[in-house]
Amino acid sequence: MEMSDVARAIAAATSLAASLGLSADDAVVLHNSNKLALRLTPCDVLARVARVGQEVAQNEVELAGRLTEIGCPIGALEPRVDPLVYTWDGFAITLWVYYEPVTPHGSSVDYATALERLHAGMRKLVMASPRFTDRIAEAKEVVADPHRSPELADADRVFLSSRLGSLRRAIEDRGVVEQLLHGEPHPGNVLNTENGLLFIDFETFCRGPVEFDLAHVPEAVCEFYPSVDEGLLDECRQLVLAMVAAWRWELGDEFPNGRRFGEELLRALREGPPWPTLDAMAARYGAP
């Protein structure tokens, strides 16, 4: 979120909380990207704030409620208020339980076990959702439109579009079983709490092979996840690198150091295997 909107977003979140009977005298910014994550105090609530128009928020709230009911390891909605997407001063706001982080961080085994539990729970749900291929299509639209990605060089545009298309075909041709997925279970969407590892931020949930989710996590985590199709995982890792590269070139992208990260992702795709994981790329090039 642009800094010019942050003060308004904080004011909207604190005002909303007060209107719901939650004491919110102060707000601490925990994360700022396409959405603003705030810790409201002294009520100790996590508020996630975005500009109105991101309709996925309602689906995320519904999914989170159902996953909590069946005992999945996720960050829960704030129980003191109704589980809704609230609107205030042009912002869509959702309210969640705030979890105090603990140390040491969970192990790769803990991460893999928690993700396996999440996937097992998601397999039980019947819920309308996009497919992972919809996200590929969105990335291709960014690449195909010079107005949406004006700084992307023509050669890179052709390369990235081709790679996105070929990877989609390769993965679909495998005919693997698909299920409901988190969509982006990378370390930034995992909380280490007294209740164990909890997954948050389900706005990109989709249906696809579990390897699509695994392509977002550290390599060591995949080693402890059962029955991984290594060939499919390699293709999904390439796909994730290509999609993230496309989004880093989109006009108005608010990711810190986004252009540089996009350049490095393109370089990694051209260099070939072994395919790096997103967390390894972020650590190497200083991305958050």
Side-chain angles (χ1 to χ4, degrees), residues 15 99 105 132 157 174 178 185 242 279:
S15 297
Y99 298 90
H105 294 295
F132 76 103
R157 194 180 304 279
R174 288 177 175 270
E178 297 183 4
D279 68 302

Side-chain angles (χ1 to χ4, degrees), residues 97-117:
V97 173
Y98 174 78
Y99 298 90
E100 191 71 41
V102 299
T103 55
H105 294 295
S107 67
S108 296
V109 174
D110 295 334
Y111 198 149
T113 300
L115 186 56
E116 186 182 3
R117 283 181 56 206

Side-chain angles (χ1 to χ4, degrees), residues 141-185:
E141 288 174 3
V142 171
V143 173
D145 186 351
H147 296 291
R148 294 182 63 180
S149 51
E151 296 181 39
L152 185 62
D154 289 344
D156 292 334
R157 194 180 304 279
V158 171
F159 168 77
L160 202 48
S161 179
S162 175
R163 183 61 64 91
L164 286 165
S166 63
L167 286 167
R168 171 176 179 162
R169 290 190 295 273
I171 294 169
E172 288 196 297
D173 286 349
R174 288 177 175 270
V176 297
V177 174
E178 297 183 4
Q179 69 155 81
L180 206 59
L181 303 172
H182 180 288
E184 289 186 355

Side-chain angles (χ1 to χ4, degrees), residues 131-142:
R131 285 186 74 213
F132 76 103
T133 52
D134 293 349
R135 299 185 62 199
I136 302 174
E138 291 169 4
K140 287 198 72 173
E141 288 174 3
V142 171

Side-chain angles (χ1 to χ4, degrees), residues 267-287:
R267 183 174 292 112
L269 285 165
R270 284 194 164 100
E271 287 178 352
W275 305 107
T277 57
L278 274 180
D279 68 302
M281 290 287 294
R284 191 181 309 167
Y285 299 108

Side-chain angles (χ1 to χ4, degrees), residues 18-63:
S19 76
L20 296 171
L22 299 171
S23 180
D25 300 327
D26 194 17
V28 177
V29 176
L30 302 177
H31 184 69
N32 183 14
S33 57
N34 61 322
K35 289 187 178 182
L36 191 67
L38 303 169
R39 181 185 183 182
L40 306 181
T41 57
C43 61
D44 238 9
V45 168
L46 175 68
R48 294 178 60 212
V49 189
R51 299 178 190 88
V52 167
Q54 298 189 6
E55 293 81 5
V56 70
Q58 184 57 56
N59 293 331
E60 180 186 18
V61 165
E62 179 185 350
L63 176 61

